[in-house]
Each structure stands twice: as C-alpha cells, then as structure tokens.
Amino acid sequence: MAPPAALGNLWPHPLIHAQHYTAPPSPLIIPPPPHFFTTHAQAVIMSSSLSSSSSRSPASSPSSSLSSSTTSASAATSSPSSSSSGSTPWGERQRHTQVDAKTRSDWVAVQKKTFTRWANAHLRRRGQAEIEDLFTDTSDGIRLLQLLEVIGGDSIYSLCKRKYNPAPKMRIHKLENCNLIFEYLRKKELQVTNIGSTDIVDTSEKLILGLMWTIILRFAVAEDGKQGLLLWLQRSTEGYPGVHVHNFDLSWMDGRAFLALIHKYRPDVLPVEVAEWLLGEEGGAGGREGGKEGAKANVTLAFQVARDSLGIDALLDPEDVVDMAKPDEKSMIAYLSQFFK
C-alpha cells in the first residue's frame, strides 16, 4: 500500500529501521503508518501539523486557510496560551487534574441526562413521546427509531422498506425493531461497531451511551466533527478579555465563554452591564464576583438566556459545568453544537 502523497519525504522515517541510534535532544515525531488515516484529508492535516510543529507558537491565531486553521485549533487544544496578567481563570488551574473513578462515574450520569434531553428536544418537535430513562425506555427500539426519523429526515419505511413494530410484546419483536436501527444507520452511511440489538434490548448502559454519542456526532456535529466545532467556537469568542477556548471542558468552567458566544451573535439579549463586563469596559457588571460562585452565576445566566432568547435547550445544568473536577466533554459538545446550528 503506497503512503499518502501528502506525507512527501516524511515516509518512511529514516529511524524506523535503524538498529542503533542516539535519541535526539528534542521530541521525535514519527508519522503513523498509512492505514492509520481514515481519509486523505486527515493525512494532509497530519503532514501540515508535522511540518509546522517546530515553528508554531501556542498562542498563534488561526490563519485564513482551512488546513492551517485546523492545525491551529489542534495546537490550541494541547498548548493553551498563558495569561499575560498571571491570573488564572476558574477551572484553568485544574487543567492537569487526574480523572478519578468518581469523576468518570459522574460523567456517565451527566451523559445520560444530556443525551436524554438532546433526544427529547427533537422528539418534542414531532409530538412524539419523550424518553424518561435513556436505557429502559429505548430497549424496545421504538424511541430510537422515532428519533432517527426526526433527525435523519427519512422515515424508516422509505429507507428500509419495512415498518417497525409499534407495540412489541416479545423479545424477538424488540430485537427486530433494534435491527432496523442499525439498518437505518447503514443506509445513512454510518457504520456502528461493538454494539448489537441485544445490547439495546438488555439495556447495556455503556454501549447505549456510545451509540447515542455516535448519533449525535453524525447528525448534530456533522462532517467536520469536534475539530471543526472547536475552531468555530475559538473564532466566535476571540477578542473577549479573559476568554480562552482551548477545549470543550475546562475552558468553559467560569462561564465567560458561554456569555461571549451569546454576545458575539446576539449582544441584544444580554444585560447591558454583563455586556460591558465581557468587553472589559470599566464598571461593567458592577464588580461581578469571581471564583466558583461567580462562575455558577455566569453559567446560569448563559443557559437561561440561550434557552429563553435563542431557543437552545438546556441540556446541562450549571452544576454539570462548575461543580465537576472536569466537565464531561461529550455532553459539552452536545450542548455547544446547538449554537452552531
């Protein structure tokens, strides 16, 4: 298999087959093998990243070209810029916090709540019954099939040429419904692995959350995925004092980034004093408090304004952002992707 043309003379690396060599003083970057890349575009991005890594500054702004902009977003994710004033925004000081078992358990609870609210936001628009428990209420396949019809734009029958059972009583009927879920996704060119119909019927929590996340990425975040969404968020919040979006978790814990995102496109829906505070104008927000309480107030205001003025469902609660050692990335993406729409 020929290497991607975009990698040029970087492939193969001269040290790959060397038997004896002395490690260089700087970190050695060896490009992955060709099959690592799922698309040619990823190979191009990797090549661009490798060729510019030695000269790129962590604080550099995205360029106008798509390739270099994506590389810039990647650099910002891994190497956040430092604040010139030396102050540390709420949450940034926890950037290297180890994720313990309790935090991971909290993430599962937040994901279940967030994904449930995301699904219900779509089901409500079609007048369908909502999901109360994401695991048990989807075990017969009906709610997931109805959700796919709403977000996919095509009925189950139009793609799969057969109808689902609206009142399954036996296990075999539930399995047949769940089989239609995967058939529908295949028709939408979305291949799902490591989960089957029995996992849904048997309410496998981890696998159902994984399936929901795959559906959200495909139908909400679209083709550009996380990287494209992150780049858009960085550009939308650029220039606001104290707002530095490097990722989907810690960068949002003080609430300023949420408010900046709203102000960027709808400055009229925020209180004047909050807008002045965001822009760094003297006297803005009347000395708005900082720390954890101030962060919770910021997030609460942002969620409320986004829901009431922009029609963006509050998939998260303020506590899911401020009180966590590190907010759940998947839940944050599900929420923030609504702004992109």
Side-chain angles (χ1 to χ4, degrees):
M1 178 177 178
L7 293 181
N9 57 13
L10 289 176
W11 189 271
H13 196 281
L15 295 182
I16 289 181
H17 299 293
Q19 296 181 356
H20 304 285
Y21 66 91
T22 303
S26 59
L28 176 62
I29 302 177
I30 299 178
H35 65 268
F36 175 85
F37 302 106
T38 57
T39 66
H40 178 69
Q42 289 177 326
V44 173
I45 292 173
M46 185 62 170
S47 175
S48 174
S49 176
L50 289 173
S51 61
S52 61
S53 61
S54 60
S55 60
R56 184 175 62 238
S57 168
S60 59
S61 60
S63 65
S64 58
S65 68
L66 176 62
S67 177
S68 59
S69 295
T70 308
T71 304
S72 175
S74 301
T77 305
S78 59
S79 304
S81 57
S82 302
S83 173
S84 58
S85 63
S87 61
T88 305
W90 173 254
E92 292 295 322
R93 62 178 176 272
Q94 304 182 61
R95 181 165 295 281
H96 301 292
T97 301
Q98 292 292 330
V99 178
D100 55 20
K102 182 181 182 304
T103 300
R104 295 188 182 278
S105 176
D106 290 340
W107 284 353
V108 170
V110 173
Q111 285 179 24
K112 180 181 179 182
K113 175 176 62 178
T114 304
F115 296 171
T116 300
R117 291 180 179 180
W118 181 86
N120 286 338
H122 292 283
L123 291 172
R124 274 196 301 271
R125 298 188 181 104
R126 190 66 69 87
Q128 303 284 9
E130 297 185 16
I131 298 172
E132 294 185 8
D133 187 289
L134 184 61
F135 306 133
T136 58
D137 290 353
T138 59
S139 62
D140 59 6
I142 294 176
R143 295 290 180 272
L144 289 178
L145 287 168
Q146 291 172 340
L147 174 64
L148 289 175
E149 287 186 323
V150 174
I151 62 179
D154 296 295
S155 68
I156 301 298
Y157 184 79
S158 65
L159 285 187
C160 304
K161 305 306 178 186
R162 55 196 178 105
K163 298 180 179 181
Y164 61 85
N165 190 326
K169 300 297 182 181
M170 302 176 61
R171 179 179 175 87
I172 185 63
H173 299 152
K174 297 178 180 180
L175 288 171
E176 289 174 350
N177 278 351
C178 293
N179 286 338
L180 277 174
I181 294 173
F182 298 105
E183 184 176 344
Y184 186 94
L185 292 176
R186 284 194 298 271
K187 297 289 186 180
K188 288 290 184 177
E189 299 182 351
L190 177 60
Q191 294 292 334
V192 181
T193 59
N194 299 324
I195 182 174
S197 299
T198 56
D199 298 311
I200 299 177
V201 175
D202 295 338
T203 66
S204 175
E205 297 184 1
K206 181 178 179 181
L207 296 179
I208 291 174
L209 287 175
L211 174 63
M212 287 298 299
W213 173 238
T214 301
I215 291 173
I216 290 173
L217 278 181
R218 168 62 177 82
F219 294 98
V221 185
E223 298 298 331
D224 290 335
K226 293 167 51 178
Q227 203 63 36
L229 179 61
L230 179 60
L231 179 60
W232 177 79
L233 292 169
Q234 289 173 331
R235 289 176 171 174
S236 298
T237 57
E238 186 178 10
Y240 287 89
V243 178
H244 308 286
V245 175
H246 308 300
N247 47 50
F248 294 103
D249 39 59
L250 298 178
S251 295
W252 302 84
M253 288 186 71
D254 66 355
R256 294 178 69 106
F258 288 112
L259 293 171
L261 183 60
I262 294 172
H263 184 269
K264 173 71 174 181
Y265 299 102
R266 288 293 304 276
D268 57 300
V269 300
L270 288 178
V272 175
E273 63 273 14
V274 174
E276 293 175 346
W277 170 72
L278 270 177
L279 296 172
E281 298 180 10
E282 188 174 353
R288 197 172 182 83
E289 64 177 314
K292 189 172 183 178
E293 291 305 316
K296 183 170 289 188
N298 293 339
V299 175
T300 300
L301 175 62
F303 285 4
Q304 178 182 344
V305 171
R307 182 192 62 222
D308 297 342
S309 300
L310 306 181
I312 293 176
D313 292 276
L315 304 184
L316 296 161
D317 294 320
E319 294 77 17
D320 300 329
V321 179
V322 180
D323 291 345
M324 303 281 283
K326 184 179 181 182
D328 175 61
E329 182 186 68
K330 295 177 180 178
S331 299
M332 292 287 289
I333 291 175
Y335 178 70
L336 290 168
S337 65
Q338 296 181 108
F339 287 88
F340 186 74
K341 296 295 183 180

